[in-house]
Amino acid sequence: MSKEKKDTQLPRWGMVIDLNKCIGCHTCEIACKVQNDVPLGIWRTWVKEIEKGKYPNVVRAFRPTLCNHCENPVCVKVCPVHASYQREDGIVMVDPHRCVGCRYCMAACPYEVRYVHPQKGIIDKCDFCYHRVEQGLQPACVEACPTSARVFGNLNDPKSEVSQLIATNAVQNLKTDMGTGPRVYYIGLDQATMEIKREVEFVWEK
Amino acid sequence: MGKIVYDVQYQTSMAFLISYYFYLTGLSAGSFMISTLSYGFGFEKFKPAGKIGVVVAVILLLMAPQFLLMQVAWPIKSVWNHFVYLNPVSAMTYGAFLLMLYPVNSIIYGIFMFKGNKKWTRIFGTIGIPLALAVHGYTGWILALGVARDYWNTGLMPIVFLFSAMVSGISMMILLIMIRDYFFTKSRDVNYDLIYSLAKILGWLLVVDLFLVFCDYSVLLYSKLEGQEVAHFMLFGKMFLGFVVLENLIGKVIPLVIVMVPKFRENNYLLILAAVMNMIGILAMRIVTVYGGQVLPLM
């Protein structure tokens, strides 16, 4: 499904998240909130945590979640005013001047990473910190990660760290059956964190 | 498989305002169809329903987009941007055009009808039928193209929406014609011939509607995990009251029995009850479909 970019000179930004290294500290969430001025109640990235097994054999599984910056994004297709768009380097963005807050993209996104900004009334989501990336910096979550579980880089460059991690590890994407071509790769992704939460219960609800 | 220790809360993208918008558009499309039965297709029996049908269709379709604009965070910008930054592959783009074309066409059609110009009434009525189908079919289409949700993402969705629109529109017409004939005519002579014909059409449309629901759910129950889960959620889970009881039992099955059995149909109180119950049931259907279809998290 994914269309190959002919011009390999252009970067294609992507992320690899090594879940063997993730310790579930939620630092990436905080770094993102601070960097992008994300209001209370919404998150551009968050770490879903699952506890599985029975005592004494218990394990916690983490899944840092963010926009997958798909190769073939559904949100761009459904947006009636072209507010959701894909940059040349693959970053999927929301144009705040065009977005009218109809929330159709929220309903269509298979990863549920879009939120209504409570003050602006428009749709908000992860943009790979493009303002940092354009200056040659790493996204805030990547830079803040204490265990270097998150790696960001150019997927078109075979020598970049992300490309080598993808080439040498078993990696997974989320929901590949939707044909979206996600560009966030996970190493050591646990099945339990991908499952829909209706069968499981929130601990705090008890 | 495990217990969630931490996850964020998901926002609901579309809820009651969109449900009311879909409901009013459906009522409008349904009453427009009844109006064109005599003036567009030439069934003389339905002539007394023609004028009231078009008036109600126009009023409802002027009301309906208000709910849509309330849902959208930037209403004025949304109208402007729909034309300036048009995206031809988005279902919502076509909605913006249809919501403007359809009432204009209905108003022209109504003006010719009230002036008694048969030829132009028929022409604009004929143009109006595909527009009415489209203006309501597209609402189902919007949901069907919300590909992330298995409950919505089916080709049946526009057809289900169309049939529920016609069903609720006919129920509303039955009530309105009874009210008009009883309270606003000197003779207080209710046109029972027309009412019973409408009730019979209502019955057959309800049969088709229930059949479509059966098709949808039988496929969902056999489909992939997410489809099965959402079907269980609707049939046996938290949506049981809304979907099974309110939408299908009260909204469709009981009215179907009333309008199909001649003894019940000719009892005025039961017929009024059937029409009211059906209108409530279809409102429940809109809420169940829009809200219930997306209440389950995806990840």
Side-chain angles (χ1 to χ4, degrees):
Chain A
M1 282 296 288
S2 62
K3 47 180 188 277
E4 291 292 324
K5 287 267 187 298
K6 278 176 195 161
D7 188 2
T8 46
Q9 297 302 311
L10 266 176
R12 194 352 173 157
W13 301 115
M15 193 182 279
V16 177
I17 303 177
D18 189 346
L19 298 172
N20 300 322
K21 290 184 184 170
C22 179
I23 53 172
C25 64
H26 299 267
T27 307
C28 45
E29 274 179 46
I30 309 298
C32 173
K33 279 229 171 202
V34 173
Q35 174 64 237
N36 296 304
D37 201 11
V38 183
L40 277 178
I42 62 171
W43 289 265
R44 288 185 175 195
T45 181
W46 67 96
V47 183
K48 184 178 173 180
E49 275 183 50
I50 290 275
E51 201 172 71
K52 60 172 191 174
K54 264 193 170 173
Y55 181 81
N57 300 317
V58 254
V59 73
R60 274 202 180 182
F62 309 109
R63 194 199 68 205
T65 312
L66 71 160
C67 174
N68 282 272
H69 296 277
C70 306
E71 198 61 50
N72 187 18
V74 185
C75 50
V76 172
K77 264 193 273 182
V78 301
C79 179
V81 295
H82 278 308
S84 281
Y85 65 100
Q86 192 176 27
R87 284 166 35 131
E88 291 266 281
D89 55 9
I91 300 180
V92 178
M93 303 268 292
V94 181
D95 185 337
H97 303 292
R98 287 192 186 184
C99 179
V100 297
C102 72
R103 310 187 185 190
Y104 195 15
C105 54
M106 266 173 78
C109 174
Y111 306 100
E112 289 200 302
V113 292
R114 290 174 163 253
Y115 292 88
V116 177
H117 193 294
Q119 281 124 32
K120 296 179 194 161
I122 57 171
I123 304 298
D124 197 28
K125 72 168 195 68
C126 163
D127 52 17
F128 266 168
C129 288
Y130 72 100
H131 52 287
R132 289 175 63 92
V133 172
E134 281 175 352
Q135 302 298 321
L137 296 166
Q138 299 274 299
C141 54
V142 176
E143 200 167 276
C145 183
T147 57
S148 305
R150 289 185 184 232
V151 180
F152 177 82
N154 182 2
L155 297 171
N156 279 348
D157 176 11
K159 286 180 187 151
S160 67
E161 197 182 348
V162 277
S163 302
Q164 292 189 348
L165 278 173
I166 292 167
T168 53
N169 284 283
V171 289
Q172 273 195 67
N173 292 129
L174 293 175
K175 291 205 174 183
T176 43
D177 58 329
M178 298 297 298
T180 48
R183 287 296 177 264
V184 173
Y185 297 82
Y186 293 89
I187 300 173
L189 183 63
D190 192 295
Q191 177 69 32
T193 60
M194 291 199 287
E195 293 207 331
I196 313 145
K197 67 182 167 195
R198 64 192 68 123
E199 279 184 40
V200 295
E201 295 166 64
F202 278 105
V203 172
W204 63 75
E205 277 181 356
K206 287 195 167 176
Chain B
M1 200 154 164
K3 280 193 166 52
I4 291 186
V5 183
Y6 179 81
D7 198 3
V8 300
Q9 287 194 317
Y10 297 96
Q11 290 177 342
T12 311
S13 54
M14 304 179 191
F16 295 98
L17 288 173
I18 290 289
S19 310
Y20 301 144
Y21 158 61
F22 286 176
Y23 182 59
L24 292 182
T25 342
L27 287 177
S28 170
S31 47
F32 188 85
M33 297 283 190
I34 300 301
S35 161
T36 53
L37 277 180
S38 63
Y39 286 90
F41 292 107
F43 294 102
E44 287 299 315
K45 198 200 273 180
F46 297 99
K47 206 159 189 179
K51 285 178 180 168
I52 189 168
V54 72
V55 170
V56 170
V58 170
I59 291 173
L60 285 172
L61 211 90
L62 293 178
M63 276 162 67
Q66 313 305 325
F67 288 101
L68 187 63
L69 293 177
M70 274 192 258
Q71 148 90 14
V72 171
W74 296 86
I76 294 166
K77 196 167 97 174
S78 79
V79 176
W80 175 251
N81 283 10
H82 261 94
F83 294 98
V84 179
Y85 306 118
L86 186 142
N87 181 6
V89 295
S90 173
M92 220 173 250
T93 307
Y94 298 99
F97 289 104
L98 288 170
L99 280 175
M100 292 179 187
L101 275 177
Y102 172 69
V104 168
N105 180 78
S106 302
I107 289 169
I108 297 171
Y109 164 73
I111 289 171
F112 280 122
M113 187 192 290
F114 279 91
K115 281 192 170 172
N117 187 330
K118 272 189 186 166
K119 186 185 159 206
W120 285 101
T121 312
R122 203 182 70 242
I123 289 171
F124 279 97
T126 318
I127 298 171
I129 291 161
L131 275 179
L133 286 173
V135 86
H136 200 66
Y138 111 89
T139 57
W141 194 40
I142 278 191
L143 294 188
L145 295 188
V147 289
R149 318 276 165 177
D150 269 40
Y151 189 67
W152 293 349
N153 188 12
T154 156
L156 272 183
M157 201 44 93
I159 303 167
V160 168
F161 264 60
L162 271 182
F163 273 91
S164 50
M166 287 196 263
V167 161
S168 61
I170 292 177
S171 289
M172 187 183 64
M173 290 309 291
I174 289 176
L175 290 175
L176 285 178
I177 289 169
M178 278 182 157
I179 291 170
R180 182 194 64 182
D181 287 358
Y182 191 76
F183 292 106
F184 298 99
T185 53
K186 277 180 188 159
S187 56
R188 297 208 159 192
D189 198 8
V190 180
N191 187 344
Y192 285 111
D193 189 27
L194 172 67
I195 298 276
Y196 295 151
S197 311
L198 284 177
K200 273 182 214 158
I201 300 177
L202 173 65
W204 287 110
L205 288 175
L206 276 172
V207 171
V208 179
D209 200 6
L210 282 167
F211 172 67
L212 288 173
V213 170
F214 170 75
C215 289
D216 196 10
Y217 274 78
S218 55
V219 172
L220 270 182
L221 282 167
Y222 273 73
S223 72
K224 58 185 180 182
L225 178 71
E226 281 165 40
Q228 292 176 24
E229 292 282 1
V230 78
H232 280 275
F233 175 71
M234 295 285 179
L235 291 171
F236 316 111
K238 282 183 183 164
M239 284 285 156
F240 174 80
L241 203 67
F243 176 72
V244 179
V245 178
L246 212 54
E247 178 189 332
N248 284 300
L249 191 68
I250 292 180
K252 291 174 191 167
V253 175
I254 298 176
L256 176 66
V257 173
I258 292 175
V259 296
M260 281 310 209
V261 180
K263 206 172 121 194
F264 294 153
R265 189 200 305 146
E266 281 155 25
N267 181 333
N268 273 346
Y269 296 106
L270 278 181
L271 189 59
I272 290 171
L273 183 73
V276 171
M277 272 161 66
N278 181 246
M279 285 184 71
I280 294 171
I282 298 300
L283 179 59
M285 178 264 175
R286 305 285 185 232
I287 295 172
V288 164
T289 313
V290 174
Y291 177 69
Q294 57 168 334
V295 74
L296 293 178
L298 296 172
M299 301 273 291

